[in-house]
Amino acid sequence: TQLLEQSPQFLSIQEGENLTVYCNSSSVFSSLQWYRQEPGEGPVLLVTVVTGGEVKKLKRLTFQFGDARKDSSLHITAAQPGDTGLYLCAGAWPGNQGGKLIFGQGTELSVKP
Amino acid sequence: ETGVTQSPTHLIKTRGQQVTLRCSSQSGHNTVSWYQQALGQGPQFIFQYYREEENGRGNFPPRFSGLQFPNYSSELNVNALELDDSALYLCASSRGQGSYNEQFFGPGTRLTVL
């Protein structure tokens, strides 16, 4: 059974601070996605990483896929109140049928001005 | 381009009742996936429909069933509701089957079972 563990579960920081969210699994994933979800809305895709060791940047957000494709991290530089939300990682694995995504339990981020 | 829409927004039912949730996929998308998101948790995959047939299923009992229509919209039906079925139900559409296709999520239906 594929499982994704995210840490930390909750994070409360001041505006301007940096933070890192981790997503770990014992399984090898073919790809891993990061989503952001705001209250009352569905998750919105931020990035997909596919290649082991891949690094992608989206403005102040940096995403990395582990070399063994079992883990990933999201780093936010100089966090802003607008970054507040639930961050979810989701993995797909080789031979998956039916488009099933396995989600982590999420990291609830609160950035205070 | 119209995004994924879901109805109703909120729903309150009692144990033992049946419920139908609806989803309209994004224009050009032929695949719909359903997820259950309990409070404080990540979404859990229920099943996916591709070209009107179930294309994959998660660890949910048979009382969770679905349909996809020729216009690619979809329904999720849950029979014999239990208290633990209380959750946000998310629908996501994509251009094709397979998890490599980006899934676009709707805002969800909040189901409360009393």
Side-chain angles (χ1 to χ4, degrees), chain B residues 1-111:
Chain B
E1 188 176 70
T2 305
V4 179
T5 59
Q6 293 186 241
S7 63
T9 307
H10 296 87
L11 202 52
I12 299 175
K13 292 283 188 178
T14 56
R15 274 187 305 174
Q17 284 190 310
Q18 177 264 343
V19 69
T20 297
L21 310 181
R22 294 179 174 81
C23 170
S24 290
S25 58
Q26 187 164 315
S27 177
H29 290 184
N30 59 11
T31 304
V32 171
S33 303
W34 285 93
Y35 293 82
Q36 180 196 65
Q37 187 176 21
L39 203 60
Q41 300 293 318
Q44 281 196 304
F45 178 77
I46 303 175
F47 42 55
Q48 183 184 77
Y49 278 83
Y50 172 67
R51 292 185 175 178
E52 303 178 55
E53 291 193 0
E54 188 178 292
N55 186 43
R57 191 179 182 93
N59 295 326
F60 281 82
R63 60 189 185 84
F64 284 79
S65 64
L67 282 173
Q68 187 179 32
F69 301 99
N71 66 353
Y72 303 126
S73 65
S74 178
E75 286 183 353
L76 165 64
N77 299 290
V78 187
N79 294 323
L81 283 167
E82 301 177 0
L83 297 180
D84 285 349
D85 295 334
S86 295
L88 180 68
Y89 287 84
L90 294 163
C91 163
S93 73
S94 55
R95 289 192 183 276
Q97 59 178 326
S99 51
Y100 49 84
N101 289 291
E102 180 179 353
Q103 299 187 20
F104 293 81
F105 284 83
T109 293
R110 173 72 63 186
L111 172 65

Side-chain angles (χ1 to χ4, degrees), chain A residues 40-93:
Chain A
E41 297 181 12
V44 175
L45 181 66
L46 296 173
V47 77
T48 300
V49 286
V50 178
T51 306
E54 183 176 5
V55 176
K56 283 191 174 180
K57 293 192 175 184
L58 186 65
K59 296 183 181 177
R60 293 176 294 99
L61 279 60
T62 301
F63 304 86
Q64 185 161 7
F65 202 13
D67 291 341
R69 292 186 288 141
K70 292 184 178 181
D71 57 271
S72 181
S73 63
L74 158 61
H75 182 80
I76 301 179
T77 303
Q80 299 176 2
D83 295 326
T84 294
L86 178 68
Y87 289 82
L88 295 158
C89 63
W93 65 94

Side-chain angles (χ1 to χ4, degrees), chain A:
Chain A
T1 302
Q2 287 81 2
L3 288 174
L4 273 177
E5 293 188 4
Q6 272 186 253
S7 61
Q9 195 170 351
F10 299 97
L11 198 51
S12 181
I13 61 173
Q14 294 295 130
E15 182 177 1
E17 292 184 4
N18 301 331
L19 67 114
T20 302
V21 177
Y22 299 93
C23 181
N24 295 290
S25 173
S26 58
S27 302
V28 174
F29 287 94
S30 56
S31 67
L32 196 135
Q33 301 174 349
W34 285 93
Y35 290 82
R36 179 163 166 261
Q37 184 178 20
E38 297 193 51
E41 297 181 12
V44 175
L45 181 66
L46 296 173
V47 77
T48 300
V49 286
V50 178
T51 306
E54 183 176 5
V55 176
K56 283 191 174 180
K57 293 192 175 184
L58 186 65
K59 296 183 181 177
R60 293 176 294 99
L61 279 60
T62 301
F63 304 86
Q64 185 161 7
F65 202 13
D67 291 341
R69 292 186 288 141
K70 292 184 178 181
D71 57 271
S72 181
S73 63
L74 158 61
H75 182 80
I76 301 179
T77 303
Q80 299 176 2
D83 295 326
T84 294
L86 178 68
Y87 289 82
L88 295 158
C89 63
W93 65 94
N96 176 33
Q97 181 187 10
K100 180 178 179 178
L101 287 176
I102 298 293
F103 279 85
Q105 72 270 42
T107 294
E108 189 73 53
L109 172 64
S110 174
V111 182
K112 302 185 188 308

